[in-house]
Amino acid sequence: MNNITNIRDLFILLVGSSLVSNVVLSQFLGLCPFLGVSKKIKTAAGMGAAVIFVITLASAVAGVIYKYILVPFNITFLQTIVFILVIAALVQFVEMFLKKLIPSLYEALGVYLPLITTNCAVLGVALTNVQKNYGIGTGIVNGFATAVGFTIAIVILAGIREKMEYNDIPESFKGMPSVLLTAGLMAIAFCGFSGLL
Amino acid sequence: MKENRITERLFNGLIKENPTFVLTLGMCPTLAVTTSAMNGLGMGLTTMVVLALSNLIISLLRKFIPNRVRIPAFIVIVASFVTMVQLLLQAYLPSLNSALGVYIPLIVVNCIILGRAESYAYHNPPLPSLFDGIGMGLGFSVALTLIGAVREILGAGEIFGFHIMPKGYTNINIFVLAPGAFFVLAVLTAVQNYIKKKAAAKGRDVSKVGSGCSEDCLNCGDTGCSRRFYDADGSTENPNLGNNLKQADTETGKPEQADAERADTETGKPEQTDAEQAGTETEAGEEGLKDE
């Protein structure tokens, strides 16, 4: 098992998953919300918070299910089916739970939750945790760090997009193309983090 | 061309509603695995197999799947096929399997597949659904192969592993790295915008172009990626069905003419673009037409 034993490993995992191999800018997971919900910093931050919440929770649940159900019964080949069903059901359950019990949090995150149901970043993290043999605790840390990386990227992109809105851009490059170019430049900048580890 | 004919479905997926070039769907795998033409082709064909088979099964079961739990049902069917394909790849094509890595199981959440299940297979008979899947899959494969080829040529001077660029050419490494994917897609969508505007100015129907939800997730209703898992109040049922019916109407409403026009815009590409990179992209587009 590839588990954390000291604080140094923990820090390396946090930096590695959030900055060095950023989930959007170097692994291309969760690209749809990254491009689709980044018009304003406020909505981007809301989306980021929802993603942090869901990914952390989903990696915990997926980790527990993998260790205590799939492995003992020797049915690990079913991981894709089980994970996607569990994640999709979990997201909807969380939505109903928040709506009933914590309305203030629901106000802030609720609109974004349905978008995360089939978000590839959530499933991607669960599968990566299994692939890399992370234990449950390490998996949760990895999930949290990945989601923080997503939030950093989407908030930065939203900030740049707000500034770019009134700029003079060639007609054909208005909208998505200019956003993609921005994302490309951000990806180059994030390549610089690879020197950190 | 008659609606729902096999050839019409294939043509629809390849050209008219090409998932990548026209609808802009499934961007995650499009960017992630197109580091070379071979990887793009492998990913495209894998997706095609899953898409065609899941379309067929969903269409066969469409009368038995209750509307409210259709999304979980679709997910189970798609995930089963993905698992089978993954096991087959592990056994027979281990190199491709390791090159595509985690993106193979992630085919489950590819919006093209859920989108086609929701908007086509769930409302149409098995045979057209199967060929709709094959057509869409072929369109996706051609698109990924072309994008992969462009990135491989610019980034490594090779195509399918064969060195083709002249000796003096210095590889632009960034094109096979992550940022290159964003740049190639940016140019591609810019070309798409340009063509869309030209076509709109001539009064053609461009509502399909870029209609995948990559621009605005919050208002995305058609493609199925923002559907609730369990449709508790059935609220999405009726408007969505109405939407599909409307779509079907407009599709039958514009016969061959629209097809011919699309072909026109495709071939009209090369003369109209002058930027260097855009040129490469359109060459790629031409190759796509020849391939057919």
Side-chain angles (χ1 to χ4, degrees), chain A residues 52-65:
Chain A
I52 292 180
F53 186 68
V54 169
I55 290 192
T56 313
L57 199 61
S59 30
V61 173
V64 169
I65 287 181

Side-chain angles (χ1 to χ4, degrees), chain A residues 15 23 33 73 82 86 88 93 95 108 115-116 138 145 161 184-185 191 194:
Chain A
V15 173
V23 65
F73 288 99
V82 172
V86 165
F93 182 72
E95 196 189 348
L115 296 179
I116 307 177
T138 321
R161 278 182 79 171
L185 293 175
C191 281
S194 57

Side-chain angles (χ1 to χ4, degrees), chain B residues 4 13 33 86 88 94 109 135 138 149 166 187 224 265:
Chain B
N4 282 350
V33 300
Q86 193 185 3
L88 284 174
V109 284
L138 278 179
V187 173
T265 28

Side-chain angles (χ1 to χ4, degrees), chain B residues 146-160:
Chain B
L146 292 177
I147 296 175
V150 169
R151 286 181 67 185
E152 202 181 349
I153 291 170
L154 291 175
E158 296 175 338
I159 183 163
F160 288 108

Side-chain angles (χ1 to χ4, degrees), chain A residues 79-153:
Chain A
Q79 58 184 13
T80 313
I81 304 181
V82 172
F83 285 175
I84 182 69
L85 283 179
V86 165
I87 289 166
L90 178 80
V91 172
Q92 187 146 11
F93 182 72
V94 166
E95 196 189 348
M96 291 186 315
F97 178 81
L98 289 183
K99 201 174 184 178
K100 266 269 190 286
L101 295 176
I102 322 176
S104 56
L105 196 57
Y106 180 75
E107 293 275 297
L109 308 183
V111 267
Y112 309 107
L113 285 174
L115 296 179
I116 307 177
T117 312
T118 51
N119 184 339
C120 42
V122 187
L123 183 61
V125 170
L127 291 168
T128 316
N129 284 345
V130 168
Q131 232 171 37
K132 292 196 177 164
N133 263 331
Y134 288 154
I136 296 173
T138 321
I140 295 174
V141 174
N142 181 40
F144 176 75
T146 308
V148 168
F150 176 85
T151 310
I152 294 174

Side-chain angles (χ1 to χ4, degrees), chain B residues 152-226:
Chain B
E152 202 181 349
I153 291 170
L154 291 175
E158 296 175 338
I159 183 163
F160 288 108
F162 297 107
H163 206 85
I164 54 158
M165 293 305 260
K167 261 213 180 100
Y169 178 76
T170 318
N171 294 339
I172 314 170
N173 277 333
I174 200 138
F175 276 98
V176 287
L177 299 176
F182 285 111
F183 293 141
V184 171
L185 193 70
V187 173
L188 195 68
T189 40
V191 172
Q192 191 192 44
N193 273 352
Y194 183 81
I195 293 170
K196 186 178 178 178
K197 218 167 69 237
K198 284 265 163 179
K202 287 179 191 159
R204 289 169 187 161
D205 177 28
V206 289
S207 60
K208 282 272 157 65
V209 181
S211 65
C213 55
S214 56
E215 290 221 19
D216 193 356
C217 276
L218 286 176
N219 300 317
C220 157
D222 280 343
T223 35
C225 50
S226 66

